[in-house]
Amino acid sequence: MNRLNAFNTPPHFRVAILARTAVFAAALIVGLTRIDAAEQDHAVDVNASVDRNDALLLDPIKLTVTVTAPVDAEIEFPPTPETIGPFDVVSVDDMPSVPVLDDADSATRRWTRRMTLETLAVGEQTIPAIEIRYVLRDAATAESGLLRTKPIPIQINSVLSSDDTPKAFRQMKPSLPIEPEAKATPVHWGMIASALVAFALLAIAMKRRRKRTVTPKQWASRRVAALELRQQANEIDNRSAYLELAEIARDYVIAREGLNPSVMTTDEVTRYVTSKSSLPSETQKRLVAWLVDAEQTKFAPPQFASTEMTRKVQEAKSFVHELLERLPASNNSPASDKSRSKEDV
C-alpha cells in the first residue's frame, strides 16, 4: 500500500524530495573535503623563532623558520627578499631536509631556513608572517596548501641612553692631571768645554790618520803577496791568477800616474800608457801586449795546457815584480792631478 502511495505521489512532491537529497549529498561532500584539508594542515607544521627579542641598532638577529611535513611532501620557501618588514636581510641559508629524530617510523622530515636580519628602526618592530607553500603527494593525488608563520615582535633599542641629547655633552673620561713644569737644568759649561776638547782631539787624530795613506806600490805589493798565498793553498787556478796579475799591473801603473784605474777601461789604459805615461817605451810595449792578451784570455775558453799556463803565470809575476822594483816614483800625485786640464785626464 505504501509503495503504491509513493508511486501515486504528485510530481511536485517528488521534485522536492530529490532537491533535499541533493543538498544533503553536497553538504556531505563539502564536509569530507574540509576534514581532509584540516588533516593536511595538521600534517604540515611551520614554526618561526629568533635568538633574541631585544636588540640594539644594527645588532644581527637570527631568524629560524622550520617546516615539518611528511617525507613525500614538497616544501617551497619564498624567494630570498632584500627586506622583511623593517628589517634588512643580511644573509639566507637554506638547510637540506633531514629526518625527524623523534619519529620512530621516519615518516616525517624537517626543512630549515636561517636568516640574519638587521634594522635601523628604533622601538617595537615586528617580523611579519612568512608564507610557506607545500605539496602533499600520495600514490593517486597531489594536494597543495599555504601556511604562514606567526608575526614576531622585536624591541630595538637605541645605542644612546635615555638622557642623551645632541647639545648636552659630558666627559667620556676623567680629566688627566697636568704635571708642573720642570725647572730648567743649569748649563754645565765645564762639561761642554770637555766635549769640545774631545772632538778637537778626535779631529786631529783622524786628520793624521788620513795622511798615512797607502802608496800605489805598497797596495800592489800586498795584492801580489795575497795572491801568492792563495796559490800555495790551491785556492786559485793558473788562469784566474794570470788575469788577476794583469789587473794588479794595470791598476798600479795608472795609480802611480795619479789617476783612478777603477773608472778606466782597458782601451783607455792602453792609450794612456802609450801616449801620456812616464813608462819607458819597452815597458809600455810589454804592458800593452800583456793587457791585450789578458783580455783575450778572459773572454776566450781555456785553450792552454797546464804547463803553458803555469809558464805564463810565472812570466806575469816576474813582470809585476819588475814594475814594482824598477819603476821610478812618478812626479804625478792626486794633488797635482787636480790641476790637470780635462784633455790631459
Side-chain angles (χ1 to χ4, degrees), residues 79-192:
T80 303
E82 295 183 358
T83 59
I84 296 180
F87 295 89
D88 295 330
V89 179
V90 179
S91 63
V92 178
D93 188 12
D94 290 335
M95 308 299 293
S97 62
V98 295
V100 179
L101 298 179
D102 54 359
D103 186 2
D105 298 333
S106 297
T108 57
R109 298 181 70 85
R110 180 176 291 114
W111 289 258
T112 304
R113 167 174 280 190
R114 294 190 176 94
M115 308 174 70
T116 302
L117 309 179
E118 292 180 354
T119 183
L120 287 172
V122 180
E124 185 174 354
Q125 307 299 326
T126 301
I127 300 177
I130 300 175
E131 295 183 349
I132 308 295
R133 295 187 179 273
Y134 67 89
V135 178
L136 296 179
R137 300 183 183 275
D138 55 20
T141 61
E143 298 291 339
S144 62
L146 180 65
L147 295 176
R148 293 182 178 87
T149 62
K150 294 181 179 180
I152 302 175
I154 302 292
Q155 180 64 34
I156 304 299
N157 300 317
S158 173
V159 295
L160 300 175
S161 61
S162 59
D163 58 348
D164 284 337
T165 57
K167 296 183 179 180
F169 297 99
R170 54 188 176 87
Q171 294 182 352
M172 300 301 292
K173 290 185 179 181
S175 58
L176 298 177
I178 300 177
E179 298 181 357
E181 295 182 359
K183 295 182 179 180
T185 304
V187 179
H188 297 284
W189 294 105
M191 296 179 61
I192 295 177

Side-chain angles (χ1 to χ4, degrees), residues 172-234:
M172 300 301 292
K173 290 185 179 181
S175 58
L176 298 177
I178 300 177
E179 298 181 357
E181 295 182 359
K183 295 182 179 180
T185 304
V187 179
H188 297 284
W189 294 105
M191 296 179 61
I192 295 177
S194 301
L196 292 176
V197 172
F199 279 117
L201 294 177
L202 180 61
I204 294 173
M206 293 180 64
K207 187 175 181 180
R208 290 181 178 178
R209 186 175 180 180
R210 289 177 182 175
K211 292 181 178 180
R212 300 175 182 176
T213 57
V214 179
T215 63
K217 182 176 181 179
Q218 293 174 341
W219 168 73
S221 300
R222 293 175 184 176
R223 290 184 63 182
V224 173
L227 176 62
E228 291 176 348
L229 292 176
R230 291 166 60 196
Q231 283 184 309
Q232 295 175 3
N234 294 325

Side-chain angles (χ1 to χ4, degrees), residues 7-127:
F7 284 104
N8 293 328
T9 304
H12 62 277
F13 285 104
R14 294 179 185 176
V15 173
I17 293 172
L18 291 175
R20 291 178 180 178
T21 303
V23 170
F24 177 77
L28 180 61
I29 293 173
V30 172
L32 291 175
T33 302
R34 289 179 179 176
I35 293 174
D36 292 341
E39 291 179 355
Q40 291 177 5
D41 290 342
H42 181 71
V44 181
D45 182 40
V46 61
N47 181 42
S49 61
V50 292
D51 62 339
R52 67 186 72 184
N53 294 95
D54 196 337
L56 298 175
L57 288 176
L58 295 178
D59 195 3
I61 300 173
K62 304 294 183 180
L63 172 64
T64 303
V65 180
T66 304
V67 180
T68 304
V71 67
D72 58 350
E74 294 182 4
I75 303 301
E76 181 181 355
F77 285 106
T80 303
E82 295 183 358
T83 59
I84 296 180
F87 295 89
D88 295 330
V89 179
V90 179
S91 63
V92 178
D93 188 12
D94 290 335
M95 308 299 293
S97 62
V98 295
V100 179
L101 298 179
D102 54 359
D103 186 2
D105 298 333
S106 297
T108 57
R109 298 181 70 85
R110 180 176 291 114
W111 289 258
T112 304
R113 167 174 280 190
R114 294 190 176 94
M115 308 174 70
T116 302
L117 309 179
E118 292 180 354
T119 183
L120 287 172
V122 180
E124 185 174 354
Q125 307 299 326
T126 301
I127 300 177

